[in-house]
Structures are given as structure tokens and as C-alpha cells.
Amino acid sequence: MTVNEITGIVTAFAEQEEIRWQNTGTPVFPERLEGTVAGKTIQIPVTWQSRENYDKNAPKRGLYVFDAVLGEGYT
């Protein structure tokens, strides 16, 4: 795997089962996800945003859905 050598269209992501179900009080999300760009497997930088109002300083119990937002240069 390479880190950030190429950018472009992401055609696939590796399965992310380990981050699927987490405690809402202390979720941990990776800063990079393994994916495929231009036929190469690379580590793609991401940030995370919640579809619901999530206050990391005072999280409420419940189900939250977080989406990975691709870093600059990726679609």
C-alpha cells in the first residue's frame, strides 16, 4: 500500500467492519481508509461527519451514522 501517491476517482474501499458498531461516547475513526484508485490499493485520507447532530463533548446515547468525507483530490 502506498500513502497519498496518487489521487483521483476511488473505485472501491476495503471492508470496514471494525468501525461499524461503536460506543457513542467514545467513537474512534481512522484518518485513512484503504481503497482503490487507478487500479492501485492506497490509503485515502478522510474526515468523518454525522448525519445527526452529534456533540463529541456531550454525546447522547443512540444510533448515529457517520460518513467518510474524502480528502482533497479524491472523488
Side-chain angles (χ1 to χ4, degrees):
M1 285 177 280
T2 58
V3 176
N4 218 16
E5 288 181 6
I6 56 177
T7 58
I9 298 171
V10 179
T11 56
F13 280 104
E15 190 171 319
Q16 303 297 316
E17 192 64 32
E18 70 277 1
I19 62 172
R20 182 174 178 141
W21 299 107
Q22 297 191 52
N23 183 316
T24 58
T26 57
V28 177
F29 298 106
E31 293 180 6
R32 295 180 180 275
L33 295 175
E34 183 178 303
T36 305
V37 176
K40 300 210 182 279
T41 301
I42 63 169
Q43 295 294 312
I44 301 166
V46 293
T47 56
W48 296 87
Q49 67 182 21
S50 174
R51 295 180 189 178
E52 300 78 18
N53 186 18
Y54 179 78
D55 181 352
K56 68 179 182 178
N57 297 318
K60 295 179 182 174
R61 289 181 56 106
L63 179 64
Y64 293 89
V65 176
F66 287 86
D67 295 311
V69 178
L70 296 172
E72 186 175 333
Y74 296 95
T75 53

